[in-house]
Every structure is written in C-alpha cells, then in structure tokens.
Amino acid sequence: SPSQLTFRLGLVRQRTNTYPLDSMDFIMMDLERPEGHHRHAHWCTGDLTGRLLEFLSHAEGVDGRRDGRLEELFERILRQRQPSGLFCQHINRLNPAARPWQGEDCFAACARFFPGFIYYYKLTNDMRALDAAVGLADHTLRSKEIWRNRAEACGCRDIPFWITEPMSMLYGVAGNNAYLDFVAMINDRLDMPDTGAHSHGYMATLRGLQMAALVTGDTAWNAKPEAARRMIIERHYEMPDGCVSEVFPHSGANEGCSIADWLMLNLNTGAIAADDAAYEHAEHILWNALAFNQCITGSFGHRATSATGYSMRRFEEAWWCCLHHGGLALAKYARHAVTLRD
C-alpha cells in the first residue's frame, strides 16, 4: 500500500531507468567493454551491472512493482562468463596505477553480481544463476591462499572482503561447508573500524558475517559485527542523525552506500539478537540519515560533513553505486518490517 517507504523505493526505481541509465548498453559497459567506449566508474568491473541485478532481484514485488529489464540484464551478464567462472578482468588489467594486489584476477569474484545471482536464483529458480554463483565461489576457494595473504596484510579492511555476504548466502542455498570456512578465515582476521577502513566495504563485510549467523542460526557469527557496531555508536563514528562517514573513523564526506550498510547492519542485529533497540536504531537511520541523503531524483550519494554536521562543499548523486545500494536497504527494511522472528 502507498507509504513513504514505497514512495522512496519508487523514486529509486525511476532513477535506475532515467538518463544515463535508460540505456542497457550504457549499464553493461563495465562488463561488455565495447571498444572505444567508456563511462564513469567503468573501471569498477561488474559494479553497476551487478548492483542493478542485486537491487532489482531483491526489490521485485516488495512494493508491488516489477522491472521488465531484469531478464535482459541477467542474460547479458551471463553471456560474459569466462571458463574460469569469472565474468571480468579485475581492475589492474585496466588501470595500471592500481595497487599491485588488485591485479590478482581472483578478486574479481567479489563483484556485486555475485550476490545478485543468488537473489535472482531465489526469485526465479533459474539454475543458471545458481551455477554462476557457485562458479564464482569455487574460483574463490581455489584462490584461498591469495585471499588469506591479502587478509593478513590489510586486516580485511579492503572492499573485496565483502565477499563474505554472497559466500554466506550461497552456503545457505547450497550447504557447502567450504564456503563457510572461507568466511571464517575472513572473520578471524578482520580488524575493528578504529584502525581505519572504507566504511561501505567494511560494513558490507560485517553484514556477510551476520548473514552467516542468519543462515546457520549460530549467533557467534555476530560477535565481531556487534563489537564493531557498538564501537561505531559509542565512539561517535556515527552522527546524531545516524549518518556515518565514507571512511572510518571520520572523513570529510558521507556516502549513501555506507549509510545503507549501517541501516542494514542494525536491521540484522535486530533479527539475530531479537534486539528491539537495534530495530529502533535502524528506523532512526532510515528516516533521518538515509532519507536526508536521498536526492529529489531518487538517487543517493555524497554530502560533505564537518565536525558540527553537514556542509555544502560537496553534494552529488552516485548513480553508479549509492542509488542501488540505498534502494537495496529500503527493500531490506520493508522485508524486515513484515517478517516475524521465530
């Protein structure tokens, strides 16, 4: 039924289909790589394509609406599958200035179409989506030593370690213990946010650990996410409205993706621990930080912050990431609102 939540979700849907996102060729550019063409964020391999697949698949039907592009998007992503199970070359092949570790192809498995495939499979029962997800997971397992070395070097505070979420989701579907063992490897090496981290990548990694708790029923998986959540609150890495910085502990701007992750992290805490205070905190974040971050276009993005609140040095929508991740958070909130805990 009509509500502020469905209205805001509708704005997201509308923005995912307006210029420049009204062209599927434009959207697919980060995977299809047409010669002589590029766009903003095309170096983020599988990012815009994956985020759109993830959002549309999870939001399908939540507000009574469906998107006719979903099947075409899935088919075009699937056509990019390589014999290795990957779908793209990783960033260093296209950006020689990137950090050396990013040249390892195995890190391309963390692209957002990995969870997108699982959501699509749950929506459609299309076994090709499940097979694609399993291919990414199995490639990751074959590269476990490379992942472990990077985890020990950086404390799992880099973006690729958000692979915990699809690996945990896939365990819940396929039941392969090796997927959960991989998540445990990351959990054992994950630092706390006071050591500094890109907040979106870091909290998405935490949400992956929470997903392990949700699919196994073992609340021990939530120990580190809960310790990090308490630190973010108690050390005031969070602003009074529920906003968090783009980089922990503090930075000069926020990011819609990070606010969305912070919202979903608290939603998961509410579900795992039967914690009403965490659900109330999620509601506070939704109607203050996330709502304020949403533009009239429907997108989410970046706003400059200061020691005393917000400023206007920077204000921009991020149609290549925050738009879809903010929409994902709205869909997650709606599902939590109508789902009973056992």
Side-chain angles (χ1 to χ4, degrees):
S1 60
S3 67
Q4 266 291 311
L5 194 58
T6 58
F7 171 71
R8 289 181 177 276
L9 190 55
L11 288 178
V12 175
R13 287 187 180 278
Q14 177 178 287
R15 184 65 187 97
T16 67
N17 204 15
T18 54
Y19 181 84
L21 304 176
D22 53 346
S23 165
M24 188 60 72
D25 290 338
F26 181 87
I27 291 168
M28 289 297 304
M29 205 173 292
D30 59 14
L31 276 185
E32 294 179 343
R33 303 285 179 180
E35 187 174 354
H37 294 78
H38 67 278
R39 59 162 168 78
H40 186 75
H42 73 282
W43 61 87
C44 298
T45 51
D47 198 49
L48 174 54
T49 48
R51 289 181 187 274
L52 183 58
L53 180 67
E54 184 181 22
F55 165 64
L56 292 182
S57 297
H58 195 57
E60 185 86 349
V62 166
D63 54 353
R65 298 175 62 182
R66 289 168 172 76
D67 194 306
R69 298 172 299 164
L70 182 55
E71 183 177 357
E72 178 190 356
L73 174 67
F74 170 72
E75 295 291 346
R76 287 180 67 165
I77 293 175
L78 199 62
R79 286 202 291 269
Q80 299 304 312
R81 189 177 186 184
Q82 302 169 5
S84 66
L86 298 177
F87 286 75
C88 54
Q89 294 178 324
H90 201 46
I91 188 172
N92 206 40
R93 299 286 183 87
L94 306 158
N95 178 14
R99 289 173 290 176
W101 73 268
Q102 289 181 306
E104 301 287 355
D105 280 347
C106 64
F107 294 110
C110 78
R112 297 309 303 179
F113 46 67
F114 189 172
F117 285 138
I118 303 171
Y119 283 130
Y120 189 84
Y121 167 71
K122 290 182 175 181
L123 176 69
T124 66
N125 290 318
D126 190 326
M127 289 299 297
R128 296 175 301 161
L130 180 59
D131 184 62
V134 168
L136 290 167
D138 289 351
H139 188 283
T140 300
L141 294 180
R142 294 194 298 271
S143 311
K144 191 172 182 178
E145 278 302 308
I146 299 173
W147 282 90
R148 180 184 287 111
N149 291 339
R150 183 57 197 165
E152 291 174 350
C154 73
C156 300
R157 289 175 289 113
D158 279 315
I159 289 174
F161 293 98
W162 65 20
I163 201 170
T164 53
E165 184 182 22
M167 292 294 275
S168 296
M169 291 170 64
L170 190 57
Y171 170 79
V173 173
N176 187 337
N177 286 324
Y179 302 156
L180 208 57
D181 291 342
F182 186 88
V183 176
M185 181 270 290
I186 295 175
N187 182 46
D188 291 344
R189 291 162 177 80
L190 181 63
D191 288 341
M192 286 290 102
D194 59 325
T195 54
H198 178 260
S199 57
H200 172 27
Y202 181 79
M203 287 190 288
T205 302
L206 294 177
R207 290 195 301 104
L209 303 181
Q210 290 183 319
M211 181 59 67
L214 289 167
V215 299
T216 65
D218 183 357
T219 59
W221 284 104
N222 194 43
K224 191 162 284 186
E226 180 58 13
R229 191 182 76 91
R230 297 309 313 172
M231 179 179 286
I232 292 166
I233 294 171
E234 292 168 4
R235 297 195 181 184
H236 303 292
Y237 298 168
E238 174 192 41
M239 291 169 57
D241 68 343
C243 172
V244 289
S245 295
E246 185 175 12
V247 177
F248 283 137
H250 302 286
S251 62
N254 66 15
E255 180 182 352
C257 288
S258 301
I259 299 170
D261 278 316
W262 182 226
L263 169 63
M264 291 186 282
L265 190 73
N266 281 276
L267 285 175
N268 287 342
T269 299
I272 294 166
D275 187 336
D276 290 339
Y279 271 133
E280 289 178 8
H281 201 74
E283 184 178 27
H284 176 79
I285 296 164
L286 172 67
W287 297 121
N288 292 276
L290 192 65
F292 185 60
N293 188 264
Q294 190 172 27
C295 308
I296 190 62
T297 63
S299 189
F300 300 87
H302 302 274
R303 287 179 183 266
T305 57
S306 69
T308 56
Y310 293 96
S311 67
M312 289 303 295
R313 298 189 313 276
R314 180 185 181 191
F315 176 38
E316 61 182 354
E317 68 167 0
W319 47 257
W320 56 94
C321 62
C322 297
L323 166 63
H324 310 87
H325 210 59
L328 184 70
L330 293 176
K332 289 279 188 186
Y333 189 94
R335 291 183 182 276
H336 275 261
V338 297
T339 302
L340 293 175
R341 290 193 303 267
D342 291 335

